[in-house]
Amino acid sequence: MADIVFVLTQNILPIFVVAGFGFALQRWLGVEKRPLSTIVLNVLSPCLVFSSLVGSQLPGDELVSLALFTVLNVLLMGGVAFLSAKVLRLPRRQTIALMVVTMFVNGGNYGMTLNQLRYGDPGLVRAVVYYTTSTIMLYTIGIFISSMGEMPWKTALRRLLRFPAVYAAVLAIIVYSFQIPLPSPLLRGIEVAGAGAIPVMLLVLGMQLADLKTIAPLRFALPAVGLRLLLGPIAGLLIATLLGLSGLGRSTSIIEASMPPAVFTIILATEFDLEPTAVTSIVLLSTLLSPFTIATTITLLSL
């Protein structure tokens, strides 16, 4: 019980403090959310991806294994979500929204913080690999899938190629792989801009909560929450076993795979009109329930 209270107060409560600012801003001033989500999508988050990946210092073999774990986990969860949507006969937009909230987790301000608190800086470094890899997938595959909620796949692909995040991810991989030195002022500027991504995401979360009039339909919300919080840890355990992960790499990866949906999924839902109200309620409910499921996972698997 003490672990659950610690995670709730130290990792989740600060999130809602910042979201509360966005809530108040929306209620008092009625600020438009779309411009903020566009700024995050096109400027702040690409900077965060670039600075996180370039700053990673893990050995190459372990980095590849952890990155592969992330790719397999995201794709497996996406496939399960798609099949679940077909069984439930969800419409196209809800199918896309279910896939997005199931595939992409809050591995940044929540997952990395929890891993650092449990395992110190070595845990944080490994959690960064999951966060960075999943973020690259979010800004490529995630944006592409989200675009398909409202347009044909060819049009979605053309739109994808206009997003700066795609090029930021590619450039980051090149700089990291070849250890290309960057001018200190440039790198520092990118880091400063990237540091603003998470706070603005949380402000948008609060603004969405202020506009929340209804919750997601149960036939949509329950599968989303169940897949993300209950199946996520199981999928993480299976993939970690398949890849032969051990020690901190295994523990941090499974914990990251157990996180609730990423706050950024609200940005995508807002940007592409993918049931943003329903997605916001799913993110909120999953985040509130996650300390109990994560604490249980850590205890049962001795992470």
Side-chain angles (χ1 to χ4, degrees):
M1 186 62 183
D3 287 341
I4 294 176
V5 173
F6 182 83
V7 172
L8 181 63
T9 57
Q10 299 302 314
N11 301 130
I12 297 180
L13 184 57
I15 293 174
F16 287 100
V17 169
V18 180
F21 297 151
F23 183 95
L25 188 66
Q26 181 67 12
R27 282 296 178 89
W28 293 343
L29 300 178
V31 177
E32 175 61 40
K33 299 183 289 294
R34 181 61 65 87
L36 285 178
S37 68
T38 301
I39 291 171
V40 172
L41 192 64
N42 290 285
V43 180
L44 302 182
S45 290
C47 289
L48 181 61
V49 170
F50 186 89
S51 60
S52 296
L53 185 56
V54 169
S56 176
Q57 298 297 323
L58 277 178
D61 291 345
E62 185 174 8
L63 190 150
V64 170
S65 296
L66 297 177
L68 181 58
F69 171 94
T70 307
V71 172
L72 293 177
N73 183 258
V74 171
L75 294 179
L76 175 60
M77 295 302 296
V80 172
F82 179 78
L83 293 176
S84 299
K86 291 301 181 183
V87 171
L88 295 171
R89 297 182 179 179
L90 297 179
R92 185 179 185 182
R93 289 183 186 275
Q94 286 192 359
T95 297
I96 299 299
L98 179 63
M99 292 178 66
V100 170
V101 298
T102 303
M103 294 170 71
F104 303 107
V105 302
N106 189 350
N109 54 347
Y110 191 168
M112 289 193 299
T113 302
L114 178 57
N115 275 303
Q116 184 180 35
L117 289 172
R118 286 195 64 80
Y119 310 114
D121 288 340
L124 175 62
V125 170
R126 287 160 178 81
V128 165
V129 177
Y130 189 102
Y131 168 72
T132 304
T133 306
S134 64
T135 301
I136 291 172
M137 297 182 72
L138 174 59
Y139 295 151
T140 51
I141 297 173
I143 291 174
F144 178 69
I145 292 174
S146 299
S147 300
M148 292 181 65
E150 61 180 11
M151 61 186 69
W153 72 268
K154 290 183 179 179
T155 304
L157 181 59
R158 286 195 296 268
R159 183 170 181 176
L160 168 64
L161 295 176
R162 295 202 302 265
F163 280 101
V166 176
Y167 304 101
V170 173
L171 288 174
I173 292 173
I174 293 173
V175 171
Y176 175 82
S177 300
F178 295 98
Q179 296 296 302
I180 299 173
L182 295 177
S184 180
L186 174 61
L187 183 58
R188 182 56 181 160
I190 294 173
E191 291 173 347
V192 170
I198 291 175
V200 178
M201 288 182 203
L202 296 179
L203 288 175
V204 173
L205 170 62
M207 295 166 71
Q208 284 284 3
L209 293 177
D211 286 340
L212 192 61
K213 300 297 191 300
T214 59
I215 62 174
L218 289 181
R219 69 188 298 265
F220 178 37
L222 291 181
V225 175
L227 288 175
R228 183 61 266 148
L229 296 184
L230 301 180
L231 184 61
I234 296 174
L237 175 61
L238 292 176
I239 295 172
T241 302
L242 175 66
L243 296 178
L245 294 181
S246 61
L248 279 183
R250 174 180 180 272
S251 297
T252 56
S253 296
I254 293 175
I255 288 176
E256 288 284 342
S258 306
M259 290 290 122
V263 176
F264 195 85
T265 57
I266 298 174
I267 302 290
L268 287 180
T270 302
E271 185 72 18
F272 297 104
D273 194 24
L274 293 173
E275 306 276 353
T277 299
V279 169
T280 300
S281 62
I282 289 170
V283 171
L284 173 61
L285 180 59
S286 299
T287 302
L288 290 175
L289 294 176
S290 63
F292 304 97
T293 58
I294 292 170
T296 300
T297 297
I298 291 173
T299 301
L300 291 179
L301 300 181
S302 300
L303 301 179

